[in-house]
Amino acid sequence: MIEKLNLQDKYRIAFCILISFASLIFVQRYFKIAFPDASIKMDTTREEAQELAEQFLANSGHDIGEYIHASRFGHHTTAKNFLEFELPADEAGTILNNTNSYYWRNRWFIPEQKEEYKVFISTSGNLAYFEHQLDEDSPGDSLTNRNAQNIAQFFLLGSIGIDIEDWELVDSKTEKLKNRWDHEFEWKEKIFNVNESTHRITVKVQGDKVDFYKEWIKVPDVWKREYSKIRSNNDVLGSIGSAGLFITIFGIFIFILVRTQKKDVRWKTAFSYAFVIALLLILQSFNNLPRELYAFDTKETLSVFLFIHIMMFCIFVPSMIALLLGMLIAGSEPAYRDQYPQHLSFRHILSAQGIKSKSFFNSAIIGISLTFATFAFQTIYYLIATRFGAWSPTDVMNLDRLETYIPWVAVLLGGAIPALMEESISRTFSISFLQKYTKSTVFAVLISSVIWGLGHAGYPAQPFYIRAIEVSAMGIFISWIFIKYGILATLIWHFSVDAVYSAMLLLNSTNPYYFSTGLVCAFVVLLPLVYAIIAYKKNGGFIVSDNLVNALDTEI
């Protein structure tokens, strides 16, 4: 039988399209105001930074021809949080760029050899950090403190271009080793004083050579303690949310035991999703291997490192995550099936027949429009919150992802794992279970939404409760969508929101490959929707979904 769109469906579609376009226009204009990215002065690419680092080492007389190279992006997190907490974001960004606080980390090492080199080149093209790690028993000169200081000052002037007259020596210490003397000197910039913080440089002379240099911002200890105290409130709320989620997961496992005895668990359906996630996680693990070399422990051999990485991150971790995900779906699905017999069953939401149904079409339209509406809601929420004194650190994108072979895998995982796990826990099971056994929809929605919101309270946004309120409020509305339209609409919404956030790095790129793959993965849910529309045109309507609903899903 064929089912066509009725007048109510057309009104719903029109409303969803209107909401989507209005939200998109609003978000395009105000999103970056509500959620500013860190203002990184990106004058130097990763490749250029590596060339500058190699040139610095060559000029210093170091040969790295036989060394393995690895690189990552980094920044001074504590200094960034302090400056953005105390100053406007643009002013903090200027200081961070001027003090070389964003940098490309380069490391050269040889397995089973302690000697290695680290050279950090800032995104402005300056030396931010240098370390030549030597064995403590390596031979060298035993200079006086004064002679070592002269060498350090010559390095600062010749290699860094620092006029020592602008700096005040605040610390000097000597370490007498077995075969050499090492000297460490620390200066602070005389004119820099941002709310009791200081701009500092540290130079270490090992024997008669400069083998360590660091530029940094010393954050006041008082502020660190106060900030830690503030963040502890986030942790408390997050712990309450985590406890609620843990109890829910425990309930899901109990529910599995009960329904397994009745032979009423859809294992195949649950672990079909888990299997796909496991494959993506394995792909991601191999994809991340080159950048994981940066953390290589030189006490190991390269073969041991590769073996541990493959066994841990390519086999064990994907298997455990897939197992947990499969169990969550398997345990939450029966509760959903019992409570909502009229909705499209979990087994059929992405089946060929299910995609051709009007239920899928409506759910996809609602889920996608909710994605746009969510970004608009979050933008409005934080614009208002910021006006009333709310704060959160600017976002530093994960630039390391651009150096992987297939960066779009992270987009799919960034959308799929949170969507499947959180919707299974906080909607599919929690609402269904609480609604059935408390006989109160309001109670079920409130409890599940608040627990879900508290579970997101660990973010650094301040006041500590601001993120919990935002997510809880959003959870209440999404729960209503779940009850009225089923799990598919909320799955599509959750995947799309998280996937778009994960894809922003790629979407902001001028590289056609990055942009196109990021766009496709962020809106991959459009593919089955397009298939549904084509099938609708071809068949003259949708397939009737009466036999695809929970009430008739009796096959194990």
Side-chain angles (χ1 to χ4, degrees):
M1 294 180 63
I2 296 299
E3 187 177 18
K4 290 185 174 291
L5 293 171
N6 57 36
L7 187 60
Q8 183 180 5
D9 294 324
K10 293 177 181 179
Y11 279 136
R12 184 187 300 111
I13 293 170
F15 179 74
C16 287
I17 293 174
L18 179 63
I19 289 294
S20 298
F21 274 103
S23 298
L24 180 60
I25 293 171
F26 180 81
V27 168
Q28 281 184 323
R29 183 170 182 178
Y30 294 105
F31 185 81
K32 288 300 182 183
I33 300 175
F35 304 99
D37 289 331
S39 54
I40 303 175
K41 186 180 180 182
M42 194 61 70
D43 293 340
T44 305
T45 65
R46 183 188 299 266
E47 293 75 16
E48 291 169 341
Q50 182 178 342
E51 291 178 6
L52 289 172
E54 290 172 347
Q55 182 180 344
F56 169 80
L57 290 175
N59 292 339
S60 301
H62 300 293
D63 182 10
I64 54 171
E66 301 298 322
Y67 285 69
I68 297 173
H69 174 259
S71 65
R72 298 289 296 267
F73 180 78
H75 65 281
H76 292 308
T77 305
T78 302
K80 176 179 176 297
N81 287 341
F82 167 76
L83 291 172
E84 291 180 349
F85 195 87
E86 298 292 324
L87 303 172
D90 55 346
E91 187 176 340
T94 300
I95 295 174
L96 290 166
N97 282 307
N98 290 340
T99 55
N100 299 310
S101 297
Y102 299 107
Y103 41 76
W104 300 106
R105 298 180 290 177
N106 293 278
R107 182 188 179 202
W108 286 269
F109 63 91
I110 294 177
E112 300 182 275
Q113 176 179 303
K114 185 171 183 178
E115 184 177 15
E116 63 173 85
Y117 300 91
K118 290 181 181 178
V119 182
F120 298 177
I121 300 296
S122 74
T123 54
S124 302
N126 302 313
L127 183 67
Y129 180 92
F130 162 60
E131 180 182 7
H132 177 204
Q133 187 170 325
L134 289 174
D135 191 281
E136 289 188 352
D137 293 334
S138 296
D141 286 345
S142 300
L143 301 179
T144 63
N145 184 275
R146 184 59 195 170
N147 287 340
Q149 184 177 338
N150 289 336
I151 291 175
Q153 292 179 178
F154 183 79
F155 169 83
L156 292 175
L157 180 62
S159 298
I160 311 298
I162 288 179
D163 185 355
I164 203 64
E165 295 298 323
D166 297 330
W167 298 76
E168 175 188 347
L169 184 66
V170 294
D171 192 21
S172 172
K173 52 189 176 184
T174 300
E175 183 180 9
K176 298 181 179 180
L177 302 177
K178 180 180 179 181
N179 297 318
R180 69 175 190 272
W181 288 7
D182 291 350
H183 304 269
E184 185 175 304
F185 306 95
E186 186 174 308
W187 289 268
K188 70 175 182 179
E189 190 176 10
K190 293 178 180 179
I191 63 172
F192 186 99
N193 187 349
V194 179
N195 293 3
E196 305 303 321
S197 67
T198 55
H199 180 206
R200 303 205 174 197
I201 51 176
T202 301
V203 179
K204 187 174 182 178
V205 179
Q206 297 184 145
D208 63 344
K209 298 183 182 298
V210 172
D211 280 332
F212 181 88
Y213 168 80
K214 179 174 74 169
E215 180 178 4
W216 52 297
I217 293 176
K218 182 176 174 59
V219 175
D221 291 334
V222 173
W223 184 88
K224 288 181 182 179
R225 290 192 295 269
E226 288 297 322
Y227 185 70
S228 179
K229 183 178 179 181
I230 292 172
R231 288 286 289 119
S232 67
N233 294 325
N234 295 77
D235 296 336
V236 169
L237 282 189
S239 297
I240 296 173
S242 297
L245 293 173
F246 178 80
I247 292 171
T248 305
I249 293 173
F250 182 75
I252 290 175
F253 277 74
I254 296 298
F255 206 67
I256 288 177
L257 294 176
V258 173
R259 298 305 283 256
T260 300
Q261 293 178 349
K262 298 179 181 180
K263 297 182 179 180
D264 190 25
V265 177
R266 308 297 197 259
W267 295 111
K268 182 179 178 180
T269 299
F271 280 92
S272 294
Y273 288 93
F275 179 73
V276 172
I277 295 299
L279 289 180
L280 288 175
L281 285 169
I282 292 170
L283 190 59
Q284 176 77 335
S285 297
F286 281 107
N287 192 42
N288 288 338
L289 183 57
R291 71 179 191 180
E292 293 301 325
L293 277 173
Y294 188 85
F296 180 85
D297 186 349
T298 53
K299 296 177 183 177
E300 300 175 350
T301 63
L302 189 59
S303 58
V304 169
F305 170 82
L306 293 173
F307 176 79
I308 292 175
H309 182 86
I310 292 173
M311 293 300 296
M312 177 62 70
F313 298 106
C314 300
I315 298 177
F316 180 75
V317 172
S319 299
M320 291 299 100
I321 293 176
L323 177 62
L324 175 61
L325 179 60
M327 297 296 283
L328 292 176
I329 296 174
S332 59
E333 187 275 336
Y336 172 69
R337 180 161 27 96
D338 289 349
Q339 192 64 18
Y340 303 104
Q342 77 279 15
H343 288 324
L344 201 64
S345 70
F346 205 100
R347 183 160 55 135
H348 289 119
I349 56 175
L350 291 178
S351 67
Q353 292 292 96
I355 293 175
K356 296 177 184 178
S357 69
K358 189 168 77 169
S359 294
F360 174 87
F361 180 80
N362 285 333
S363 294
I365 293 293
I366 291 168
I368 293 169
S369 64
L370 276 176
T371 301
F372 291 100
T374 296
F375 281 97
F377 164 73
Q378 290 177 328
T379 301
I380 294 171
Y381 181 83
Y382 282 100
L383 283 174
I384 295 173
T386 302
R387 184 175 291 272
F388 285 95
W391 173 87
S392 60
T394 59
D395 183 45
V396 178
M397 291 189 177
N398 183 9
L399 298 176
D400 289 326
R401 191 188 301 169
L402 295 179
E403 300 307 310
T404 60
Y405 302 112
I406 40 177
W408 48 265
V409 175
V411 177
L412 294 176
L413 287 171
I417 291 179
L420 289 169
M421 283 195 171
E422 294 180 29
E423 293 307 309
S424 294
I425 296 169
S426 298
R427 246 75 67 182
T428 311
F429 180 79
S430 292
I431 294 179
S432 303
F433 183 84
L434 292 173
Q435 192 179 28
K436 179 177 181 178
Y437 289 101
T438 65
K439 309 300 181 183
S440 172
T441 300
V442 173
F443 180 82
V445 167
L446 285 177
I447 292 298
S448 60
S449 299
V450 169
I451 291 175
W452 186 57
L454 291 175
H456 290 77
Y459 288 75
Q462 299 300 325
F464 66 93
Y465 50 79
I466 189 170
R467 178 72 170 153
I469 293 175
E470 171 215 342
V471 178
S472 297
M474 198 158 47
I476 291 172
F477 181 74
I478 294 301
S479 296
W480 175 77
I481 295 294
F482 165 78
I483 292 171
K484 186 171 179 63
Y485 296 103
I487 186 60
L488 180 59
T490 61
L491 274 175
I492 290 175
W493 160 78
H494 204 144
F495 172 87
S496 299
V497 169
D498 286 350
V500 169
Y501 273 119
S502 298
M504 281 187 176
L505 175 65
L506 304 182
L507 296 176
N508 287 329
S509 174
T510 56
N511 184 303
Y513 170 70
Y514 292 154
F515 179 81
S516 59
T517 54
L519 188 66
V520 169
C521 291
F523 294 98
V524 69
V525 293
L526 290 175
L527 298 180
L529 178 61
V530 170
Y531 176 76
I533 294 173
I534 294 173
Y536 179 86
K537 293 291 185 180
K538 181 179 180 180
N539 299 326
F542 294 110
I543 293 177
V544 175
S545 60
D546 291 348
N547 61 329
L548 304 177
V549 297
N550 281 322
L552 298 180
D553 185 20
T554 57
E555 180 184 348
I556 300 296

